[in-house]
DNA sequence: ACCTGAACACCGTTCAAGT
DNA sequence: ACCTGAACACCGTTCAAGT
């Protein structure tokens, strides 16, 4: 074992939750991947709900960092152009789904604090998109949040559909079609 | 018990799968809702996979019927306008998700024959949309399938996002925004 | 601090046996 | 045909004990 167990658990849980959801997360498989026993996980996370919260929070934190890096590296138009790439990378990574899309599906069965983190993921994406859309002059400031939400929902939907076909090219076609139709800036 | 058990199981399983997914489908709760024991379900469906196939097939058959009715009752433009209503009705029904969106998330853990039914659901939607888009003159025939796929993915994404907020008004706003942006015909 | 074996209560699933 | 009791496998969780 290289790093500390807590980080290793978090990383493994993130991968598993993106493939199998919160319900599909199980401590025994998780532990064996990390090289400890299931009971040991409880030393780091007092319950499954706590692990779920930690994974979802880390997930949006990582995404926020990716988004901020995009913003710093490029002008708003280019940054917006690269936004779908974040969802594409999940598909590239063993056809994985956005953790928060999966958890949105599972919403009824999620512990309350996990729900909050899922919503924060959406909020982070919408806020970033909204700011870039305004900065790029795509839509007036008054309409930017609404458009941001539409883009977020559509890109998540494209990822979901592409995953169900294990077809990254389909994802690319869908994004191109969003651009051609006018939902995403060309 | 009114009708036969098999139909009652199918109906209850459909509701449960839309709320909790294929993984969340559980025979004990299902049985108690129908008024029999869990083991009795296996008399009607030899395995969970068989039940999953039956539920998913029934689901797309029902949707196909709804779509065909829409087509017969209205001209292509009006029919297209009412398309998102099919997804809206799931949300109205106790904030439920499209069964096939949920199963797309769960794709890695689905039995092979269930995967096929999930794809057929998408195919049915895309074929209907494609035909109506061409008939309504929204896009040239050559581009209609691609656009149909984009609409299907985007509407499913809107439903997923609205579900995670238990907010039907958000679904309506997203659909309106798709129209304003040009993805859906106005 | 960090980990484990063993156990607990629970639940989805299966199957041989009932009617 | 239709249903069930009982068993099985697995789950999240706990805890006393190990280092």
């Amino acid at each position: 074992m290289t790093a500390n167990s807590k980080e290793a658990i978090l990383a493994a849980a993130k991968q598993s939750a993106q493939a199998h959801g919160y319900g599909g997360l199980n401590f025994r498989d998780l532990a064996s991947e990390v090289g400890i026993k299931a009971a040991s996980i409880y030393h780091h996370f007092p319950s499954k709900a706590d692990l779920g919260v930690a994974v979802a929070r880390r997930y949006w934190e990582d995404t926020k960092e990716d988004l901020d890096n995009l913003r710093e590296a490029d002008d708003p138009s280019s940054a917006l152009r690269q936004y779908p790439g974040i969802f594409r990378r999940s598909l590239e990574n063993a056809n994985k789904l956005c953790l928060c899309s999966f958890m949105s599906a599972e919403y009824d069965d999620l512990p309350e604090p996990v729900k909050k983190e899922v919503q924060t993921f959406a909020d982070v994406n919408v806020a970033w998109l909204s700011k870039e859309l305004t900065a790029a002059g795509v839509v007036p400031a008054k309409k930017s949040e609404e458009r941001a939400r539409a883009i977020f929902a559509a890109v998540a939907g494209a990822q979901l559909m592409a995953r169900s076909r294990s077809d990254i090219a389909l994802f690319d076609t869908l994004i191109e079609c969003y651009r051609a139709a006018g939902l995403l800036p060309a």
Side-chain angles (χ1 to χ4, degrees), chain A:
Chain A
M1 182 186 335
T2 58
N4 64 83
S5 289
K6 187 162 186 172
E7 281 302 317
I9 294 165
L10 222 40
K14 181 188 156 193
Q15 294 295 315
S16 176
Q18 281 185 259
H20 312 292
Y22 178 78
L25 248 187
N26 85 77
F27 278 40
R28 282 189 171 89
D29 289 351
L30 211 54
S32 91
E33 217 159 314
V34 175
I36 57 178
K37 297 293 164 183
S40 308
I41 295 178
Y42 288 85
H43 183 261
H44 303 282
F45 302 97
S47 73
K48 185 177 181 180
D50 288 288
L51 176 60
V53 167
V55 168
R57 181 176 298 150
R58 175 65 61 90
Y59 191 76
W60 70 251
E61 284 172 350
D62 288 350
T63 302
K64 185 166 171 27
E65 202 179 316
D66 288 348
L67 289 171
D68 289 342
N69 289 341
L70 255 186
R71 174 177 283 151
E72 277 163 36
D74 270 302
D75 61 293
S77 287
S78 308
L80 280 170
R81 219 190 144 67
Q82 289 176 71
Y83 177 75
I86 290 184
F87 287 77
R88 191 186 203 277
R89 250 162 272 143
S90 282
L91 295 173
E92 290 164 7
N93 177 24
N95 199 33
K96 292 218 173 57
L97 193 66
C98 169
L99 176 64
C100 292
S101 293
F102 213 137
M103 287 185 166
S104 292
E106 295 176 297
Y107 208 68
D108 284 1
D109 302 317
L110 250 32
E112 200 56 51
V114 178
K115 290 183 183 178
K116 275 192 93 166
E117 302 300 330
V118 172
Q119 300 208 347
T120 302
F121 178 84
D123 291 340
V124 162
N125 278 265
V126 169
W128 186 91
L129 282 166
S130 180
K131 196 170 163 189
E132 299 302 295
L133 285 167
T134 306
V138 176
V139 283
K142 219 191 123 189
K143 293 265 185 185
S144 71
E145 189 175 321
E146 164 176 300
R147 175 66 79 92
R149 269 199 270 265
I151 290 174
F152 174 71
V155 173
Q159 189 198 41
L160 186 64
M161 188 181 185
R163 168 172 159 84
S164 79
R165 304 261 166 180
S166 308
D167 185 351
I168 296 188
L170 172 57
F171 179 77
D172 294 335
T173 311
L174 288 167
I175 298 301
E176 265 318 310
C177 194
Y178 290 158
R179 289 193 178 113
L183 178 66
L184 282 170

